[in-house]
Amino acid sequence: MREHTVSSFDQDLRQIDQLIREMSDLAAAMVSASIDALLEADEATAQQVIADDKLMDAKQREVDDRAITLIAKRQPMAQDLRAVIGAIRMAGDLERVGDLAKNVAKRVGAIGKITAPRALSTGIKEMADLVLGQIRNIVAAYADRKPQELQTLRIDDEKIDVKYTSIFRELLTYMMEDPRNITPCTHLLFCAKNLERIGDHMTNIAENAYYVLTGTQLPLQRPKLDEMSSSISE
Amino acid sequence: MREHTVSSFDQDLRQIDQLIREMSDLAAAMVSASIDALLEADEATAQQVIADDKLMDAKQREVDDRAITLIAKRQPMAQDLRAVIGAIRMAGDLERVGDLAKNVAKRVGAIGKITAPRALSTGIKEMADLVLGQIRNIVAAYADRKPQELQTLRIDDEKIDVKYTSIFRELLTYMMEDPRNITPCTHLLFCAKNLERIGDHMTNIAENAYYVLTGTQLPLQRPKLDEMSSSISE
């Protein structure tokens, strides 16, 4: 009987994990499309991302419902309970990633065609690629039960922060050069900040997944690099 | 025996609710201090807010630990389980409020003395007061078990969004007037955005608390007003 209960629990949990995988695929697709829309001033793609966010919200509600039902039905103990609560949290972070991609998409109209130098578009594209790598690799490491990879991937968030700081400085320079750049560059600044925040949510997921897999917390994170620690003169 | 179990559950839940009340008091104190620090260029107060965030994180971990222990120990069913999961979520949102206040505090040094017109400081102060009202009133309505008040309070978030949009426009104007305003105004823009996001987290808490108290979801929210829907010419 116990064997039966345990394997039913695992089966229910696998279904929840499958939903988390779907959420992470959708999150990656939304981030990728929102940045394409931004760089190509492609309003149709932007609208698609905005529509996809509703699907993301529905998937999160499904994870929540299944997780709460699973707890009520199977009454899991310590370790299993942490896995279910961990899944609720990961779904929460992925839903936020979708929200941030939607926020980038909503700015496409306000920014219009990017007239800033090519270096800026390249920088944003490179930052987005780093973020996409984190989404794909962190959720894969969790699905493949590879906690050591999660530890390494968490450190990779630094690369995103370095990129963000350099884009922040570049945008300020363009704004100072020509006041007509101020409005579009302000929106681009929020877009870059959103990518940086997506990186932070992926770090949360890595830490959460590590805890679910190992039962121990990752050691404390390095102090975070951000645009306040960079020496921008006023 | 059942009576005993039920009242033990309620007692444990009350302790968790007490922690949430403490987190919300701390969140309000951090937001208030961070805005004071910002408007007065008061580095010492800013450092205090940054230090307080560690206390906030510790309180959130305590809510999580108590909630997970409570589920494992008392095995609550549907309604009670939703209350515990709801508490975990509310603590998560309050922790994010603390993070955002810390982020405002971290910008105090980068901004320095605000030289922009008095109207701007007044605008930011008014926005902060609206946000503080939401923190105090929403958590009080939850503690006093007043779902109808939560519904009204959720609508009040619109006032914060209107304020934010007007500050956003004002900051862009200052940036266009003088390039030396660009760096400090960019940081102020992020501070205002953080206040607006705190408002959103309080809306989450209102919706969550309403669901815990009534078992039903609040009707769908109005489309959100933001700086993208304002007609700022490029």
Side-chain angles (χ1 to χ4, degrees):
Chain A
M1 182 59 194
R2 186 165 187 283
E3 192 62 31
H4 174 252
T5 307
V6 168
S7 74
S8 301
F9 175 84
D10 287 345
Q11 207 176 330
D12 288 354
L13 190 59
R14 261 200 299 274
Q15 283 177 348
I16 292 173
D17 277 351
Q18 177 56 33
L19 274 168
I20 287 180
R21 217 111 51 129
E22 288 169 24
M23 286 182 79
S24 108
D25 288 345
L26 182 59
M30 287 173 75
V31 170
S32 178
S34 70
I35 298 299
D36 287 349
L38 182 70
L39 298 179
E40 306 296 330
D42 176 352
E43 263 290 353
T45 302
Q47 288 306 321
Q48 185 56 51
V49 174
I50 294 166
D52 280 347
D53 191 52
K54 290 203 169 40
L55 185 57
M56 186 65 117
D57 291 351
K59 280 184 193 293
Q60 191 205 2
R61 271 195 303 277
E62 196 180 339
V63 169
D64 280 4
D65 288 347
R66 279 177 185 264
I68 291 176
T69 306
L70 177 55
I71 295 173
K73 195 172 63 172
R74 309 272 178 218
Q75 308 276 6
M77 286 298 163
Q79 173 68 18
D80 286 343
L81 187 56
R82 279 176 205 280
V84 186
I85 303 274
I88 291 178
R89 291 217 178 102
M90 283 187 250
D93 277 301
L94 287 168
E95 189 271 333
R96 292 293 304 134
V97 171
D99 252 12
L100 291 163
K102 179 179 76 171
N103 189 277
V104 170
K106 282 173 76 179
R107 292 182 192 275
V108 167
I111 295 172
K113 195 79 198 151
I114 298 177
T115 50
R118 183 132 198 94
L120 179 69
S121 302
T122 311
I124 291 175
K125 186 89 187 78
E126 284 168 0
M127 190 178 173
D129 286 342
L130 289 172
V131 168
L132 286 169
Q134 290 292 86
I135 298 175
R136 295 196 180 107
N137 297 334
I138 287 172
V139 176
Y142 166 66
D144 300 342
R145 307 274 178 269
K146 289 185 175 161
Q148 288 321 309
E149 281 186 19
L150 290 168
Q151 188 156 17
T152 315
L153 285 165
R154 182 177 67 156
I155 299 166
D156 284 350
D157 186 52
E158 282 178 39
K159 293 178 196 156
I160 297 173
D161 294 345
V162 168
K163 204 85 205 163
Y164 168 67
T165 303
S166 115
I167 291 171
F168 178 86
R169 291 183 195 206
E170 217 171 318
L171 283 168
L172 256 56
T173 308
Y174 297 139
M175 289 157 101
M176 288 175 194
E177 274 171 17
D178 186 343
R180 284 169 299 179
N181 290 338
I182 289 177
T183 300
C185 282
T186 298
H187 287 291
L188 280 176
L189 202 57
F190 278 121
C191 291
K193 186 73 191 174
N194 285 346
L195 283 176
E196 187 265 344
R197 286 170 58 203
I198 292 174
D200 289 348
H201 283 288
M202 295 316 300
T203 301
N204 289 351
I205 292 177
E207 291 173 350
N208 213 331
Y210 185 91
Y211 184 57
V212 167
L213 296 183
T214 66
T216 59
Q217 302 277 2
L218 274 170
L220 257 171
Q221 181 81 298
R222 42 134 196 145
K224 195 170 153 58
L225 173 76
D226 54 35
E227 73 272 22
M228 277 82 82
S229 45
S230 69
S231 54
I232 297 160
S233 61
E234 284 178 40
Chain B
M1 182 60 194
R2 190 167 182 281
E3 195 59 32
H4 175 252
T5 306
V6 168
S7 73
S8 301
F9 175 84
D10 288 344
Q11 206 175 330
D12 287 355
L13 189 59
R14 263 199 296 276
Q15 283 178 349
I16 292 173
D17 278 350
Q18 177 55 33
L19 275 167
I20 286 180
R21 217 113 50 134
E22 288 169 25
M23 285 181 80
S24 108
D25 289 344
L26 183 58
M30 287 172 75
V31 170
S32 176
S34 70
I35 298 299
D36 287 349
L38 183 69
L39 298 179
E40 307 295 329
D42 176 353
E43 263 290 354
T45 301
Q47 288 306 320
Q48 185 55 49
V49 173
I50 294 166
D52 280 346
D53 191 52
K54 289 200 170 41
L55 185 56
M56 187 66 117
D57 291 351
K59 281 186 194 291
Q60 190 205 2
R61 271 195 303 277
E62 197 180 339
V63 168
D64 279 4
D65 288 347
R66 279 177 185 265
I68 292 176
T69 306
L70 176 55
I71 295 173
K73 196 172 63 172
R74 309 270 179 221
Q75 310 276 6
M77 286 300 163
Q79 173 67 16
D80 287 344
L81 187 55
R82 282 177 203 278
V84 187
I85 304 275
I88 291 178
R89 292 219 178 98
M90 284 187 248
D93 276 302
L94 287 168
E95 188 271 333
R96 293 292 302 134
V97 171
D99 252 12
L100 290 163
K102 179 179 78 172
N103 189 277
V104 170
K106 282 172 77 179
R107 291 182 194 274
V108 168
I111 295 171
K113 196 79 197 151
I114 297 177
T115 50
R118 185 134 197 92
L120 180 70
S121 303
T122 311
I124 291 176
K125 186 89 184 77
E126 283 168 0
M127 190 179 173
D129 287 340
L130 289 172
V131 168
L132 285 170
Q134 290 292 84
I135 298 176
R136 295 198 180 105
N137 297 334
I138 288 173
V139 176
Y142 166 67
D144 300 341
R145 307 275 177 267
K146 292 186 172 159
Q148 289 320 313
E149 281 186 19
L150 290 168
Q151 189 157 13
T152 315
L153 286 165
R154 183 178 65 156
I155 298 166
D156 284 349
D157 186 50
E158 283 177 36
K159 294 178 196 157
I160 297 173
D161 293 347
V162 168
K163 204 85 205 163
Y164 167 67
T165 304
S166 114
I167 292 171
F168 178 86
R169 292 182 192 205
E170 215 170 320
L171 284 168
L172 255 55
T173 308
Y174 298 138
M175 288 157 103
M176 289 176 194
E177 273 171 17
D178 185 343
R180 284 169 300 179
N181 290 338
I182 290 177
T183 299
C185 283
T186 299
H187 286 291
L188 280 176
L189 201 57
F190 278 121
C191 291
K193 186 76 190 167
N194 285 345
L195 284 176
E196 186 266 342
R197 287 171 58 203
I198 291 174
D200 289 348
H201 283 289
M202 295 316 299
T203 302
N204 290 350
I205 292 177
E207 290 173 351
N208 213 333
Y210 185 91
Y211 184 55
V212 167
L213 295 183
T214 66
T216 59
Q217 301 278 2
L218 274 169
L220 259 171
Q221 182 81 298
R222 51 158 180 122
K224 197 173 152 55
L225 173 78
D226 54 34
E227 74 273 23
M228 277 84 80
S229 46
S230 67
S231 55
I232 297 158
S233 61
E234 284 179 38

